[in-house]
Amino acid sequence: MTPNTDDILLNNIEEVTEQTSKTFYLNIEKNTISNFCDGIEAMKQAIYCILNTERFEHLIYSWNYGIELKHLIGENTTFVIPELERVITEALLQDTRITEVNNFEFEINKNSITAKFKVITTVGEIESEKVVSI
């Protein structure tokens, strides 16, 4: 015989709401963590962290977190430019707060390519860039 629970488990269900983006503030120049940031500053930090974490390299992160750049090293710029646009877009869109990545511009240097782009988020637009060695 199964015990009667009178649906007690269903009575305490709460709807999950999206969490805020409040997080510790990373000061990249001073290499310190202090205070908190929220909103657009937290999104800039999230973008920075996603684009500077190689995907599949760290067990602490989900396989959906980070960017795949290793396969671009040593490749021709005609391959790297469209592939860089794809991997940046794919990496950033994993964050549910980011809705679109667009307006890509590329600058080719001797040993690197600089990608500049706009990230549309739920808290506003952010101009960002990523430099990749080739």
Side-chain angles (χ1 to χ4, degrees), residues 58-76:
H58 308 282
L59 294 175
I60 192 170
Y61 296 119
S62 158
W63 281 14
N64 294 330
Y65 188 84
I67 188 167
E68 298 174 63
L69 295 175
K70 281 187 172 181
H71 70 286
L72 301 179
I73 298 172
E75 295 291 341
N76 191 319

Side-chain angles (χ1 to χ4, degrees), residues 9-27:
L9 298 176
L10 298 175
N11 293 337
N12 294 326
I13 293 179
E14 295 179 25
E15 283 189 35
V16 177
T17 57
E18 189 168 324
Q19 298 294 318
T20 64
S21 60
K22 186 175 182 180
T23 186
F24 287 101
Y25 175 72
L26 301 175
N27 188 332

Side-chain angles (χ1 to χ4, degrees), residues 27-75:
N27 188 332
I28 307 304
E29 290 83 32
K30 293 182 180 179
N31 202 25
T32 61
I33 299 173
S34 61
N35 299 328
F36 291 95
C37 63
D38 198 4
I40 201 82
E41 286 302 315
M43 284 308 305
K44 288 179 183 178
Q45 185 171 291
I47 292 166
Y48 174 84
C49 290
I50 291 168
L51 296 180
N52 287 289
T53 302
E54 184 68 24
R55 195 170 182 181
F56 309 119
E57 289 289 312
H58 308 282
L59 294 175
I60 192 170
Y61 296 119
S62 158
W63 281 14
N64 294 330
Y65 188 84
I67 188 167
E68 298 174 63
L69 295 175
K70 281 187 172 181
H71 70 286
L72 301 179
I73 298 172
E75 295 291 341

Side-chain angles (χ1 to χ4, degrees), residues 80-93:
V80 172
I81 289 175
E83 186 67 2
L84 187 56
E85 182 174 342
R86 183 190 69 78
V87 295
I88 288 172
T89 303
E90 181 181 284
L92 293 177
L93 289 179

